[in-house]
Amino acid sequence: MNLWNTALKIASREARASALKFLFVAFGVAAGVGALTGVRGFSAAFRDTLRREARTLMAADIAIRQFNPPTAEQDAAAKRYTDQGAVVTHIIETVSMMDSAASSAPPILVSIKAVDPQAYPFYGKLELDPPARLRDVLNAESIVVSDDLAIRMDLSQSSSVRLGGQEFRVAGIVRAEPDRMTGSLNIGPRVMITRDGLHRTGLMQFGSRASHRLLFKSPEPQFNLEAMKTDLRKTFTDARVVTAREAHPAIERALDRSTTFLSLVSLIALIVGALGVATSVHAHLQQRLDTIAIMKCLGARSSQIIGIYTIQTGLLAVAGGLAGVGVGAVVQLLFPVLLMKYFRFETAMHWSPAFAIEGIATGLLVTLLFTLPPLLSIRRVKPALIFRREMAEVRPPLIERLRRQVPSIISGALILLGLGAIAGWLADSARMGWMFIGGLVVSLVILSGVAWALLRALRWTVQKGPWRLPVPLRQGIANLYRPGNHAGAVLVSLGIGVMFTLSIYLIQKSLLAEVAGAAPPNAPNVFIINITPREHDGLKALLDAQPVTSADPKAKPRLIPLISARLMTINGNPLQLGGLRGWERRFSQARQVSYLPDKPDDIQIRAGQWWDPSSKEAFVALEKEAATVLKAKVGDTLRYSVTGREFDARLAAVYRIISAGPGGAGETLFNPAALESFPRQYFGLARMPAASVQKFQRDAYAKFPTVTVVNAADVISIIQEVVDQVSLLVRFIAGFAIAAGVIILMATVAGTRFRRMREAAVLKTLGARRRQLLGIFSVEFLILGLVAGLMGGLLATAFSRLLMTRLLDAEFRVEWLPNAATVVLVGALSLLAGWLASARVLPQKPLQVLRDE
């Protein structure tokens, strides 16, 4: 108790004397704790809301999704429940082209959702602008559109548009759609239409690519949802069947991964803040050496003094943690704003105090870990220090110096073990935790080495350089070596924040560039879907009339036949796919297959041989991965089902696809004799000059309005939108690391305020003007920011290049402009932060300061 009383008295007295410095220390902890509690609190609240409002998210009690229209057997299974009082509505989702009758702009690729407005949605609320009920405005002659599509095409209520060549009137703008994230084809501009309206467009032909969803309103306790789900799965074998009692699995998986990643990013911000606390505590103890020596002269033991300052540091960490909880609450409020486009819940998400306690505890633990080295240094303070401080200290032998470093080495190991345990706990994976710590240690070591080298170079420039620098520049650089300035720690802290934030941007930009430019020179840049046999010849003639960019045969337009087929047995044995996970389970469902007479150039035979084009026997060839998963060998007999008809095909070859771009051979190919008798659609590929694509889109839409022409640029723009949303979220959290670095800079400046006041007083006495002092301080702050920005930029470029080339196997391009902009922005930020922290230095009168000496 006496220790606590003494610690509180000393903390109270020193807090009054160093209030500004201690305030910045608390802010450093608050930045990291705020990011961590905000991320984890939002994740937990979102998951709880997701489960609580699963009915709203699905707009139903049970949802069934598949990529084929319901069969008669499936309709009968659904009717069994409607006869018992359940209500069912059928939703169809597909893509097509849409244009405006009042504009000459090329048609736009849109996602279409066909609903029954009298039934949809069962739960949740569809918000329209102007406000109206969907059943009152949506009919076979009208549509409602998403707000982004309305902006892009300049649409308003009563605007006229064309889908499938048919005129439709825009009846409203969709502001909120309850089941936006549980549907399919839900990225990009959206159109909502009635099923009668969709039928009027002529878009839904046999084999058209579409997602079919059946929504059931079957509330408990009248219906047992789990039993109903089990029963429906027996009939809807290829479908995904989920109930309102379970959250959306894909969303949950994405949420778990995002929470882990953002939690580790937040931990970086907390580590940067704790590093600042450690430097501040070290500077504070250096200023209190006399006090510590006197306390030892009065009989205090080192352990007691360490305990006093540990309690003081812990109180600062708790204060920062409490402030961080407030910051985390604001972060949690901001996250839903970024997701409003995709989620709109009927009840607000709740703040969980458990994560506030978790954040405070984590902040306290990390802070104490990082302050171990400066606290342990109290043991080396001798009571006689106050009597011989003016005497030069004799440098001890090497063995003694190494012995003195043992506590620092042990504390460093404890820091790494503690951080590894925390990272493993946040990631729910020990392996991920140690990988995180390994990467962090490497980054800190590199940053520390670069900071040391740059500071040494600056010092050499001032002391031994061949040129004489102006006074403000020389004095500003010299200030970097001021006692207690901790320029190295500031550079490392700011640098790691800049490195991480800029890395996210550079990886994002490189990935998008890779998507845009990864295809070979002759790869298709136009994709055409929903081509029926009646449109085949006319569209082929239109494609052949288009200009080509190369004489290479691969660049010629192609129309590839597509048929939906499901593998039933191999050599008469049912498929053994129970242990398969992820993408491998696709072999248990109906897949799009094609047929070819001759072997394409992008296929390399690994086993067996290609068929004779004139053969009348049914043959099939499998891509190597498919053959491995299915355990199929050349000569095996594979039975397939197409539109209810079954046939056998002999496995003739196993191949590997060697093409680098889209539009290559699929994973299952047949000879013409196997599939020519089945109804089919075609998939088109073409390579044409970029300037000709929009004209082709207009011409194709005018002649074949039900055919969808996809410009590769549109695909990239959709990817850009998704990547931008994700990177914005990551950069927002990573920005807390930069904020923590800036706070460390401000804390360092605040910690040397009295030395700066004395220096300013001396310089003013010698005739220095306010403008010159401004120049000296500005040089110091600006150099810190510019060097930190330069270090962070260089390491971000190196890290991004390593990740892109080694892990993602993609090309990396050095981006000079973002790096230069980062250096300038961090320099300006450091200048502003430095001046905010030292605002009270310059106004001091020289005489008043010198009298206090």
Side-chain angles (χ1 to χ4, degrees):
M1 182 60 67
N2 290 334
L3 183 63
W4 273 99
N5 290 334
T6 304
L8 290 173
K9 288 178 182 178
I10 293 176
S12 176
R13 183 176 65 248
E14 293 182 350
R16 289 195 299 271
S18 308
L20 187 62
K21 177 173 64 179
F22 284 165
L23 183 65
F24 286 133
V25 168
F27 281 168
V29 177
V33 172
L36 188 62
T37 57
V39 168
R40 297 183 70 78
F42 170 79
S43 174
F46 184 83
R47 185 178 282 104
D48 178 65
T49 306
L50 198 64
R51 290 169 178 164
R52 190 175 64 249
E53 297 197 19
R55 279 185 169 87
T56 301
L57 190 65
M58 292 184 354
D61 292 303
I62 288 186
I64 301 175
R65 187 186 72 184
Q66 61 185 19
F67 291 93
N68 290 305
T71 63
E73 183 185 3
Q74 291 170 342
D75 285 335
K79 189 175 185 301
R80 288 202 307 270
Y81 289 99
T82 59
D83 290 342
Q84 300 174 41
V87 184
V88 181
T89 187
H90 182 192
I91 293 177
I92 304 172
E93 292 168 309
T94 186
V95 293
S96 183
M97 310 297 293
M98 187 177 90
D99 73 342
S100 172
S103 173
S104 60
I108 291 177
L109 179 69
V110 296
S111 172
I112 298 175
K113 181 177 182 178
V115 302
D116 176 3
Q118 302 301 317
Y120 172 86
F122 290 137
Y123 301 100
K125 184 179 180 182
L126 182 85
E127 295 182 11
L128 297 176
D129 185 16
R133 295 188 306 176
L134 189 65
R135 66 180 64 183
D136 295 334
V137 297
L138 196 62
N139 53 52
E141 308 293 328
S142 65
I143 61 172
V144 292
V145 299
S146 60
D147 49 4
D148 55 345
L149 181 58
I151 293 171
R152 184 171 175 182
M153 296 187 67
D154 193 22
L155 301 177
S156 60
Q157 189 181 19
S158 300
S159 294
S160 179
V161 296
R162 288 182 298 213
L163 272 171
Q166 302 298 314
E167 294 279 346
F168 287 88
R169 175 180 57 84
V170 175
I173 311 298
V174 178
R175 298 300 183 192
E177 183 182 349
D179 58 337
R180 172 74 187 266
M181 284 302 292
T182 53
S184 301
L185 307 170
N186 54 14
I187 296 177
R190 293 170 65 74
V191 171
M192 196 171 293
I193 193 172
T194 65
R195 291 206 304 273
D196 289 339
L198 181 63
H199 178 72
R200 189 163 71 88
T201 63
L203 294 173
M204 298 307 298
Q205 303 293 329
F206 178 83
S208 294
R209 297 192 175 191
S211 167
H212 296 262
R213 279 196 294 147
L214 294 180
L215 303 184
F216 288 74
K217 185 176 182 181
S218 312
E220 296 178 304
Q222 180 183 355
F223 293 88
N224 184 319
L225 296 185
E226 287 301 321
M228 188 174 171
K229 171 184 173 180
T230 303
D231 179 52
L232 289 170
R233 274 184 167 173
K234 296 175 183 177
T235 308
F236 292 86
T237 53
D238 288 345
R240 184 174 65 83
V241 184
V242 294
T243 73
R245 297 177 61 185
E246 56 187 314
H248 194 282
I251 297 176
E252 285 239 327
R253 283 195 300 271
L255 183 63
D256 289 339
R257 292 169 183 168
S258 301
T259 301
T260 297
F261 179 69
L262 293 178
S263 294
L264 293 177
V265 176
S266 303
L267 182 58
I268 289 177
L270 182 56
I271 289 171
V272 171
L275 186 62
V277 174
T279 57
S280 296
V281 169
H282 177 72
H284 181 66
L285 292 177
Q286 290 298 311
Q287 295 173 5
R288 293 294 181 267
L289 289 179
D290 287 355
T291 302
I292 294 171
I294 290 172
M295 291 171 69
K296 287 190 173 183
C297 287
L298 296 176
R301 295 189 299 273
S302 293
S303 59
Q304 292 175 314
I305 300 174
I306 291 174
I308 288 171
Y309 283 100
T310 299
I311 292 172
Q312 183 176 321
T313 302
L315 291 174
L316 285 171
V318 171
L322 291 172
V325 169
V327 174
V330 175
V331 171
Q332 181 169 333
L333 290 175
L334 290 176
F335 272 126
V337 176
L338 299 175
L339 298 173
M340 282 180 62
K341 181 176 179 181
Y342 302 102
F343 296 95
R344 185 72 63 89
F345 294 123
E346 294 185 342
T347 59
M349 287 184 285
H350 303 292
W351 171 259
S352 172
F355 290 96
I357 298 171
E358 175 185 295
I360 293 172
T362 305
L364 177 62
L365 179 58
V366 173
T367 301
L368 291 178
L369 284 172
F370 271 86
T371 51
L372 269 178
L375 289 174
L376 290 177
S377 67
I378 292 175
R379 298 168 62 254
R380 296 199 299 268
V381 177
K382 303 300 181 185
L385 174 69
I386 57 176
F387 301 113
R388 53 184 177 84
R389 81 181 78 187
E390 303 299 333
M391 298 176 60
E393 185 178 356
V394 178
R395 192 179 188 189
L398 176 62
I399 300 297
E400 177 64 19
R401 295 202 304 272
L402 292 176
R403 188 185 65 80
R404 291 182 180 180
Q405 294 301 317
V406 170
S408 296
I409 295 172
I410 294 175
S411 61
L414 286 175
I415 290 173
L416 291 180
L417 288 172
L419 291 179
I422 292 172
W425 166 61
L426 292 176
D428 199 21
S429 165
R431 180 173 175 270
M432 180 70 74
W434 295 120
M435 286 177 61
F436 172 82
I437 290 304
L440 184 66
V441 168
V442 171
S443 300
L444 287 175
V445 168
I446 294 175
L447 279 165
S448 300
V450 174
W452 178 85
L454 288 172
L455 289 174
R456 294 280 295 194
L458 288 171
R459 191 169 193 171
W460 179 87
T461 301
V462 171
Q463 296 179 350
K464 299 181 180 180
W467 49 79
R468 185 163 184 81
L469 300 175
V471 173
L473 186 58
R474 187 170 67 252
Q475 291 295 328
I477 294 175
N479 275 358
L480 297 174
Y481 305 97
R482 174 197 308 279
N485 202 23
H486 298 291
V490 172
L491 290 176
V492 170
S493 304
L494 261 180
I496 198 168
V498 171
M499 180 190 76
F500 197 84
T501 309
L502 184 59
S503 293
I504 299 299
Y505 175 83
L506 293 177
I507 292 170
Q508 171 198 0
K509 194 171 180 64
S510 294
L511 280 175
L512 289 173
E514 183 75 12
V515 171
N522 294 321
N525 62 348
V526 174
F527 307 93
I528 314 163
I529 59 177
N530 290 343
I531 308 169
T532 61
R534 75 170 185 269
E535 294 152 339
H536 176 276
D537 294 340
L539 190 61
K540 186 175 186 308
L542 182 62
L543 279 170
D544 290 339
Q546 300 302 311
V548 295
T549 57
S550 171
D552 191 332
K554 296 180 185 178
K556 293 183 63 176
R558 288 178 287 164
L559 294 180
I560 301 170
L562 291 178
I563 295 168
S564 181
R566 182 181 180 188
L567 178 61
M568 307 298 292
T569 64
I570 300 178
N571 294 328
N573 301 315
L575 299 182
Q576 302 296 323
L577 301 176
L580 299 183
R581 294 290 182 269
W583 277 104
E584 292 180 344
R585 291 191 61 82
R586 67 190 186 275
F587 297 111
S588 65
Q589 303 171 352
R591 305 286 297 161
Q592 294 283 355
V593 301
S594 185
Y595 59 86
L596 293 171
D598 301 311
K599 184 179 78 67
D601 293 336
D602 60 356
I603 273 183
Q604 183 183 80
I605 300 296
R606 305 305 294 267
Q609 61 183 7
W610 200 255
W611 46 73
D612 181 350
S614 62
S615 174
K616 299 303 180 183
E617 183 183 357
F619 289 107
V620 63
L622 293 179
E623 196 270 333
K624 188 176 185 300
E625 180 197 3
T628 301
V629 171
L630 296 171
K631 299 178 181 178
K633 305 180 296 296
V634 171
D636 287 349
T637 299
L638 281 63
R639 168 155 289 203
Y640 285 88
S641 173
V642 177
T643 63
R645 293 164 50 192
E646 296 186 0
F647 68 95
D648 292 329
R650 185 159 58 87
L651 182 58
V654 174
Y655 60 86
R656 186 173 71 91
I657 302 173
I658 59 176
S659 61
E667 64 190 16
T668 306
L669 294 172
F670 291 84
N671 66 332
L675 294 179
E676 275 188 328
S677 62
F678 293 101
R680 70 195 70 91
Q681 279 209 345
Y682 291 88
F683 174 59
L685 302 167
R687 176 76 186 182
M688 57 186 67
S692 304
V693 174
Q694 290 190 354
K695 180 179 183 303
F696 174 73
Q697 284 181 306
R698 280 192 290 265
D699 293 344
Y701 186 74
K703 295 181 179 180
F704 311 103
T706 60
V707 170
T708 301
V709 179
V710 181
N711 184 355
D714 293 334
V715 177
I716 292 173
S717 68
I718 292 173
I719 296 173
Q720 171 99 47
E721 179 185 355
V722 176
V723 173
D724 283 348
Q725 289 286 332
V726 174
S727 63
L728 175 64
L729 199 64
V730 176
R731 288 202 300 270
F732 173 68
I733 296 300
F736 279 88
I738 293 182
V742 170
I743 290 170
I744 291 174
L745 170 61
M746 299 176 77
T748 301
V749 174
T752 59
R753 181 166 60 90
F754 292 108
R755 289 193 180 98
R756 291 176 187 275
M757 288 169 57
R758 183 177 182 278
E759 177 186 314
V762 171
L763 291 174
K764 284 181 179 179
T765 303
L766 296 175
R769 297 182 178 180
R770 187 184 182 94
R771 176 173 53 81
Q772 291 174 309
L773 294 177
L774 282 170
I776 291 172
F777 287 165
S778 297
V779 166
E780 176 189 355
F781 304 143
L782 192 60
I783 287 177
L784 280 173
L786 293 176
V787 171
L790 180 62
M791 287 167 47
L794 291 174
L795 290 175
T797 300
F799 175 72
S800 303
R801 183 181 184 280
L802 180 67
L803 187 65
M804 290 291 296
T805 56
R806 296 293 179 87
L807 187 62
L808 301 178
D809 194 24
E811 183 181 352
F812 178 76
R813 299 173 179 82
V814 177
E815 299 286 346
W816 297 107
L817 184 59
N819 277 277
T822 297
V823 172
V824 173
L825 288 174
V826 176
L829 186 63
S830 299
L831 188 62
L832 177 62
W835 276 115
L836 288 175
S838 59
R840 292 191 295 168
V841 172
L842 287 181
Q844 298 292 330
K845 302 296 182 182
L847 186 60
Q848 178 184 352
V849 174
L850 294 177
R851 278 176 177 170
D852 293 336
E853 290 292 321

